[in-house]
Amino acid sequence: MAATPETVHWRGVHHLALVTSDMDATVRFWHGVLDARLVTTLAVPAFKHYFFEVGTGNTVAFFEYTDQELDSFAKPAGVPYAKAAQFDHLALHLPDEDALLRLRDRLKAHGCEVTDVIDHGFLRSIYFSDPNGIALEASWWTVDPTGRPVDYFDERLFADPDPVPAVRELRDDGRLHHTVATRLVDGIVEDLRREGITLD
């Protein structure tokens, strides 16, 4: 079973939830430096949770946990690191090259380290980090593959010479032969309760 008749009506990323040990510094960077407006906050005894707008309906959100020691790490985008098993970096979307250059100059004006523009062919990017060590990228599509029919034979966008079987199925048959099932992580809420953390 590859798909259901009713499509999912995506409208972007509602929020990506990240973790900070210093919400004040996070607000000063995301709202002050990146100009991603702080649009909502909430707090319960266990944590603060703040949301920054990166596009209409799209936010990046941070948790700051109360009285909780956290291991932290910093890594550059695209470089493997054992602690970053499920997250590598966050790329934010910009409309064009001028916007990319203006953000690069803004980061430099605020004393933030940032790369030169990197040309990836179908997108161009700059790379930098936030105060939490989270690897960030800002990009614009030079060839925008979104919002139009997909051509799996377009080598500008599908450049893997040995794609995984699912891509071959999409290219050759126009559908996936099967999907995969997932499971919830057992015991998360119970583990939190044992630690005295409630999500109410």
Side-chain angles (χ1 to χ4, degrees):
M1 175 165 106
T4 56
E6 176 64 26
T7 60
V8 178
H9 301 282
W10 292 116
R11 297 186 67 190
V13 175
H14 186 281
H15 69 278
L16 171 67
L18 302 171
V19 177
T20 179
S21 61
D22 187 342
M23 190 67 82
D24 185 68
T26 297
V27 172
R28 294 178 192 285
F29 180 78
W30 282 84
H31 182 92
V33 176
L34 294 188
D35 200 25
R37 292 186 312 136
L38 178 66
V39 292
T40 189
T41 68
L42 65 87
V44 297
F47 58 78
K48 294 181 182 299
H49 198 24
Y50 287 18
F51 293 72
F52 302 86
E53 181 184 20
V54 292
T56 303
N58 298 259
T59 61
V60 173
F62 284 86
F63 283 101
E64 181 185 59
Y65 297 110
T66 304
D67 300 322
Q68 178 65 46
E69 287 293 319
L70 298 172
D71 286 336
S72 64
F73 64 88
K75 62 170 285 310
V79 176
Y81 182 59
K83 287 188 176 183
Q86 294 172 313
F87 177 80
D88 188 85
H89 69 281
L90 168 63
L92 303 167
H93 186 205
L94 291 173
D96 53 35
E97 185 83 4
D98 184 58
L100 192 67
L101 295 174
R102 282 187 284 118
L103 176 59
R104 184 195 61 188
D105 293 345
R106 181 182 176 98
L107 285 161
K108 287 181 178 181
H110 283 274
C112 300
E113 292 184 346
V114 59
T115 68
D116 288 330
V117 175
I118 309 297
D119 188 350
H120 296 290
F122 57 85
L123 61 85
R124 291 170 60 88
S125 304
I126 58 173
Y127 296 88
F128 51 102
S129 296
D130 91 334
N132 304 292
I134 295 168
L136 300 173
E137 174 183 2
S139 304
W140 70 278
W141 295 110
T142 60
V143 179
D144 190 346
T146 66
R148 63 183 174 120
V150 177
D151 177 1
Y152 294 107
F153 293 95
D154 186 342
E155 293 181 358
R156 298 172 304 162
L157 300 171
F158 293 92
D160 183 353
D162 185 25
V164 298
V167 174
R168 284 192 230 104
E169 292 166 15
L170 289 169
R171 181 189 62 206
D172 299 340
D173 303 331
R175 64 179 187 83
L176 295 173
H177 296 175
H178 63 87
T179 59
V180 296
T182 62
R183 297 179 55 91
L184 292 173
V185 176
D186 291 333
I188 292 294
V189 173
E190 290 80 5
D191 289 346
L192 291 174
R193 284 191 185 130
R194 277 194 289 279
E195 297 292 325
I197 298 170
T198 61
L199 302 179
D200 301 324

